[in-house]
């Protein structure tokens, strides 16, 4: 181990990081909001210690951003780009601390920032953004702990790990990786006798305690929902493994994914053969979690964004153990794919259909849909617009003209502190035709036409309009907030 501080980072690297952050802020302001982002904006207007889907950190970030910049895309996403710049500094510092002789830090940060998944997390505001940032900061603190031998770093590790766990439950894999390293790495076993290890753990637990308390007060709803996703299904399915691999090829980019795999493998070999504790830390933070995701994909779908938390440590390993020439190729390819995706999302120069353009499916046509829905509401003389899908309801709340009530219905809304809709009023419900024609949650719904969400004339989704009345008492429903 070495406590030697890394030399100053080149000025060009700082300029590139500032330029990248400015570009991400511009993209955050220009790109349309996704349904999930709109839904998390509702969270930010009803702050709680927990929610059905995730812990509350993303709501806190959105509340802070919208307080500074308003309820538009920039305000909702405001904290993402500067936070990713901080995460980049953390990864660079971690790489230089773990390998002071090779000093791979700036290249590790460059590889991580070239990945499309990192840029998506920097621009779009979901729970993946804060958990990724705090994971990077925890990696940096653990690297400084290993390099310096100073046990006070355990307090920083615990604080960042607790903040990551208050962002998304998959941060538990960070604790599992650190535990494996403490058990398997001989030079780290001495920390079991140091009170600061346990103080860091207590700090992490204290930061997560409000989430536990919220779950206890709400029938363990969030733990049950997310815990139900753990584990593989009963039947082995190659297609889920194929989806996971294809997703990572697109989100990390092919060359960078290969470099990360080779780098982590080389780090594991260096740990096993030479007792390289710093390389072992990287292997412990990636390999068990990667194995878990692969195992889960043998029987159920693993969302492509879930493994994003593995790439900070994997990028350090790639920068330390692979050829610089391939790192340059991978970085340029990753950035090129990122630019293509962002341009398509913002301007749609390619007239792609929904099945080949995820930006159309998630981001396209929401303001136009709100205008069509509002015209239908006025024509019907209805008092409100409504939706059963939480993302659709939140998009309507963001895009409809001021003063138009938006009602959301479903069990999840019983866990919010939002007001109930006024009784005895008629409204128009939007229901996606892609989700089938099953029975509505609204009793007595009557057909009322269709509206289409489209971008530049290309259909993204079609919605059935149903005439409904305010849900009866006892039916979970909420009157959603509107932009201030």
């Amino acid at each position: 181990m070495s406590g030697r501080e890394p030399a100053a980072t080149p000025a060009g690297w700082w300029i590139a990081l500032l330029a990248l952050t400015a570009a991400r802020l511009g993209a955050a302001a220009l790109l349309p909001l996704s349904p999930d982002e709109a839904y998390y904006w509702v969270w930010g207007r009803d702050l709680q210690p927990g929610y059905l889907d995730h812990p509350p950190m993303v709501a806190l970030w959105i509340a802070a951003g919208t307080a500074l910049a308003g309820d538009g895309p920039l305000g909702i996403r405001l904290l993402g780009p500067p936070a990713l710049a901080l995460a980049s500094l953390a990864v660079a510092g971690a790489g230089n601390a773990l390998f002071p002789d090779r000093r791979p830090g700036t290249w590790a940060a460059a590889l991580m920032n070239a990945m499309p998944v990192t840029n998506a997390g920097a621009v779009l505001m979901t729970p993946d953004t804060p958990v990724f940032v705090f994971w990077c900061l925890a990696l940096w603190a653990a690297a400084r702990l290993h390099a310096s031998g100073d046990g006070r770093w355990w307090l920083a590790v615990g604080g960042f790990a607790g903040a990551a766990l208050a962002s998304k439950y998959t941060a538990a894999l960070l604790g599992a990786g650190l535990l494996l390293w403490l058990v398997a790495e001989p030079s780290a076993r001495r920390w079991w006798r140091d009170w600061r290890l346990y103080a860091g753990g207590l700090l992490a637990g204290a930061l997560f305690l409000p989430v536990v308390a919220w779950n206890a007060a709400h029938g363990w709803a969030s733990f049950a929902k997310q815990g139900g996703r753990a584990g593989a299904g009963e039947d082995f399915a190659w297609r889920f493994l194929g989806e996971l691999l294809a997703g990572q090829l697109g989100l990390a980019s092919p060359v960078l994914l290969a470099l990360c795999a080779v780098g982590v493998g080389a780090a594991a070999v260096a740990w096993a053969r030479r007792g390289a504790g710093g390389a072992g830390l990287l292997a412990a933070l990636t390999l068990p979690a990667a194995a878990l995701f692969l195992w889960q994909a043998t029987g159920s779908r693993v969302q492509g964004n879930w493994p994003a938390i593995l790439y900070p440590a994997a990028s350090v390993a790639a920068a330390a153990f692979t050829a610089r020439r391939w790192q340059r190729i991978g970085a340029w390819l990753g950035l090129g794919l990122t630019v293509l995706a962002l341009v398509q999302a913002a301007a749609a120069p390619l007239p792609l259909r929904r099945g080949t353009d995820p930006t159309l499916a998630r981001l396209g046509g929401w303001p136009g849909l709100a205008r069509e829905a509002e015209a239908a509401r006025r024509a019907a003389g209805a008092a409100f617009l409504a939706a059963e899908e939480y993302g659709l309801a939140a998009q309507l709340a963001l895009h409809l003209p001021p003063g138009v009530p938006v009602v959301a219905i479903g069990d999840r809304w019983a866990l919010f502190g939002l007001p109930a809709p006024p009784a005895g009023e008629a409204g128009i419900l939007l229901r996606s035709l892609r989700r089938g024609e099953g029975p509505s949650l609204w009793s007595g719904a009557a057909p009322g036409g269709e509206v289409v969400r489209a971008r530049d004339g290309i259909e993204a989704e079609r919605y059935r309009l149903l005439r409904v009345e305010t849900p009866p008492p006892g039916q979970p429903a909420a009157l959603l907030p509107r932009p201030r």
Side-chain angles (χ1 to χ4, degrees), residues 145-427:
L145 167 81
H146 178 70
S148 67
D150 186 344
R152 289 175 295 182
W153 281 103
W154 277 119
L155 300 177
V157 172
F160 293 135
L165 199 54
S167 302
K168 196 172 182 181
Y169 295 125
T170 49
L173 296 172
L174 173 64
L178 289 171
L179 180 62
L180 173 63
W181 183 68
L182 285 168
V183 170
E185 168 54 36
S187 66
R189 291 175 190 154
R190 67 185 182 94
W191 294 119
W192 291 108
R193 302 186 299 273
D194 193 314
W195 66 272
R196 292 168 293 191
L197 167 64
Y198 304 98
L202 287 173
L203 178 57
L207 291 172
F208 188 61
L209 186 60
V211 182
V212 178
W214 183 90
N215 270 274
H218 293 83
W220 308 104
S222 186
F223 289 169
K225 181 179 188 296
Q226 297 300 340
R229 295 185 176 185
E234 295 181 359
D235 300 321
F236 188 90
W238 283 106
R239 71 184 183 95
F240 292 134
L241 280 171
E243 285 180 5
L244 176 60
L245 179 58
Q248 299 317 297
L249 285 171
L251 291 171
S253 78
V255 176
L256 292 180
L257 180 63
L259 291 176
C260 285
V262 171
V264 171
V269 170
W271 189 22
R273 292 183 177 178
R274 303 196 304 270
L281 177 62
L282 301 177
L285 289 177
T286 51
L287 289 176
L292 177 64
F293 289 133
L294 288 170
W295 169 74
Q296 186 168 356
T298 62
S300 60
R301 179 170 285 109
V302 174
Q303 298 297 327
N305 58 296
W306 295 356
I309 50 178
L310 308 183
Y311 290 123
S315 295
V316 174
F321 291 103
T322 66
R324 194 73 74 215
R325 173 175 175 267
W326 283 105
Q327 293 173 32
R328 292 190 180 94
I329 294 172
W332 283 113
L333 177 60
L335 286 173
L337 293 174
T338 295
V339 170
L340 287 176
L342 291 176
V343 170
Q344 181 67 14
L350 301 176
L352 301 177
R353 300 292 176 181
R354 177 189 173 105
T356 55
D357 186 358
T359 70
L360 172 63
R362 302 296 295 167
L363 306 180
W366 293 107
L369 174 67
R371 288 192 295 270
E372 285 201 41
E374 171 59 6
R377 182 193 71 84
R378 290 198 307 267
F384 62 86
L385 285 164
E388 298 165 332
E389 299 172 48
Y390 61 84
L392 172 58
Q395 286 281 19
L396 293 174
L398 271 172
H399 291 105
L400 285 169
V404 179
V406 177
V407 176
I409 188 171
D411 291 341
R412 71 178 59 243
W413 300 107
L415 303 175
F416 284 78
L418 298 170
E425 293 188 341

